[in-house]
Amino acid sequence: MDVNFRKIDIDQYDEDALLDTELYESDPRDPAQALNDTKQNAAAVRSSLSRNDYVGALTLVLENAPYGPNVEEAKNLNLQTLVSILNSTKATDIPGIVKALSTDAQDTLMKYLYKGMALPGWGDVSGSVLLGWHEKLTEVAGTGCIVRAMTDRRLV
Amino acid sequence: MSNVLRPYLAAVRSTLTAALTLEDFSSQVVERHNKPEVEVGVSKEVLLNPLTISRNENERVLVEPSVNSVRISIKIKQADEIEQILCHKFTRFMMQRAESFIVLRRKAVKGYDISFLITNNHTDIMLKHKIVDFIIQFMEEVDKEISEMKLSLNARARVVAESYLSVFNA
């Protein structure tokens, strides 16, 4: 008989216990497919950038962004692609680009901005770029965008 | 670097304004108890995603919201050892007197220098935009205070060293 029965977390066996996965709809794609999609997006983004089509590039990255716990590689790749777009836009263009995005894309962009700022290393992303985008995005989308970034469990 | 300071503080202000929508929420684990959920951290559904705003590697603000409380942790810029010691002593001084600050937390979160805990009771008594103003003003002033202390420390050290070593010069 297990002597440590007092230390068992009894709540995990409760049938009404809330699991992390129940809090949101998980990404329907499996990891390999998500990674493929992200790679295709990255290639498409590079071609958009060469044509200076920033809105198109951003929309490609932000729609159908991979989220959830088991698609780490796809998420990182998407973040790198997004960072390359953010670095290459001029500061004066940002308000126009942000206004052209859909609300969902704006929310996803806000999530990515916070994720970028939370990264410990600062390889290719600079604080001023992210903060500048954050300021312009808040001006356009409002505080509600930040609230949605806080409450949305689909972590990019 | 004040050109990055302004959007940094603006980002912190807008994030705090978004996070400070708090309401009363009794504990789901213990009946008749009412605890700040961000400190308890047991019920997953009442905790929101923590957000980080950073200016560079050494200056960060972590905002951890929940349904009835928000924990804000600040990492102050410390360029060298003197500033590290000064910052440590300064924050320790304030954290020992956390009762009079009301919103200050007695221990900083690991990895940060100082933490604030704001609950729905605080937002009921005080004005939300004033609380945000306080935190922003605190962030601006703590940098100034530490550099002031460092300057006066260096000045005093120079005076002492001069008067002590002048004896050996004569």
Side-chain angles (χ1 to χ4, degrees):
Chain A
M1 187 169 103
D2 192 6
V3 189
N4 281 342
F5 66 90
R6 288 182 195 282
K7 298 227 171 89
I8 306 175
D9 176 23
I10 195 75
D11 286 328
Q12 68 184 318
Y13 300 115
D14 183 18
E15 49 201 29
D16 285 337
L18 188 68
L19 298 167
D20 263 342
T21 47
E22 285 172 20
L23 286 168
Y24 64 95
E25 246 182 57
S26 56
D27 199 334
R29 304 169 288 187
D30 65 342
Q33 198 197 347
L35 190 56
N36 271 340
D37 284 346
T38 324
K39 282 192 189 140
Q40 283 172 352
N41 276 344
V45 156
R46 273 193 284 277
S47 63
S48 300
L49 281 181
S50 55
R51 282 178 287 130
N52 281 341
D53 176 19
Y54 296 112
V55 181
L58 273 179
T59 324
L60 273 171
V61 171
L62 297 173
E63 307 269 316
N64 294 329
Y67 59 87
N70 54 350
V71 287
E72 284 303 326
E73 270 193 51
K75 287 200 276 192
N76 283 335
L77 182 57
N78 220 14
L79 182 64
Q80 300 291 341
T81 324
L82 180 71
V83 161
S84 63
I85 306 178
L86 296 182
N87 276 336
S88 51
T89 54
K90 288 193 286 294
T92 45
D93 291 342
I94 300 178
I97 299 176
V98 166
K99 281 200 193 101
L101 294 174
S102 70
T103 330
D104 281 339
Q106 284 171 346
D107 292 344
T108 320
L109 178 61
M110 185 61 92
K111 286 190 227 171
Y112 270 115
L113 287 176
Y114 279 117
K115 181 171 181 182
M117 289 200 268
L119 290 179
W122 282 88
D124 29 338
V125 57
S126 99
S128 54
V129 166
L130 290 178
L131 285 172
W133 273 87
H134 184 286
E135 193 189 356
K136 299 289 182 329
L137 184 56
T138 324
E139 270 170 44
V140 173
T143 332
C145 190
I146 304 180
V147 177
R148 284 189 288 273
M150 265 192 249
T151 54
D152 200 344
R153 303 270 174 196
R154 300 174 296 178
L155 296 171
V156 287
Chain B
M1 278 280 274
S2 67
N3 57 341
V4 190
L5 179 65
R6 201 191 35 84
Y8 176 56
L9 293 177
V12 175
R13 182 182 287 271
S14 50
T15 314
L16 283 181
T17 318
L20 273 177
T21 45
L22 309 172
E23 57 180 18
D24 192 26
F25 194 81
S26 318
S27 171
Q28 295 179 295
V29 177
V30 187
E31 57 179 68
R32 297 207 198 196
H33 277 212
N34 199 318
K35 304 180 198 175
E37 290 296 335
V38 71
E39 295 288 346
V40 178
V42 168
S43 316
K44 296 190 202 75
E45 66 270 24
V46 297
L47 298 176
L48 276 56
N49 305 329
L51 301 175
T52 316
I53 303 123
S54 58
R55 185 171 159 186
N56 48 48
E57 275 229 11
N58 304 323
E59 278 190 77
R60 287 195 308 272
V61 173
L62 175 68
V63 177
E64 296 164 280
S66 72
V67 69
N68 63 357
S69 46
V70 180
R71 187 164 63 194
I72 302 151
S73 311
I74 306 176
K75 178 131 189 66
I76 307 170
K77 173 183 64 164
Q78 293 147 58
D80 52 13
E81 278 202 12
I82 293 270
E83 282 195 12
Q84 262 176 355
I85 300 174
L86 285 173
C87 176
H88 178 244
K89 290 204 175 295
F90 187 52
T91 51
R92 204 173 66 115
F93 175 85
M94 287 193 289
M95 288 195 276
Q96 280 178 335
R97 292 151 181 82
E99 296 247 333
S100 12
F101 270 94
I102 312 178
V103 287
L104 195 61
R105 195 170 182 262
R106 274 194 177 270
K107 273 209 140 2
V109 170
K110 195 151 187 277
Y112 293 86
D113 294 317
I114 195 162
S115 296
F116 294 88
L117 177 68
I118 305 175
T119 61
N120 57 302
N121 298 319
H122 298 150
T123 48
D124 284 342
I125 310 171
M126 302 186 267
L127 298 170
K128 265 186 257 191
H129 58 277
K130 289 287 181 192
I131 302 181
V132 176
D133 284 344
F134 170 70
I135 307 261
I136 303 286
Q137 200 187 9
F138 177 85
M139 285 171 64
E140 286 173 333
E141 302 226 333
V142 79
D143 280 337
K144 274 188 234 159
E145 295 255 339
I146 293 192
S147 17
E148 240 184 72
M149 282 196 275
K150 185 175 167 190
L151 282 174
S152 66
L153 178 78
N154 283 336
R156 283 204 309 272
R158 182 173 305 124
V159 167
V160 165
E162 260 187 59
S163 51
Y164 179 65
L165 293 173
S166 62
V167 186
F168 300 99
N169 204 11

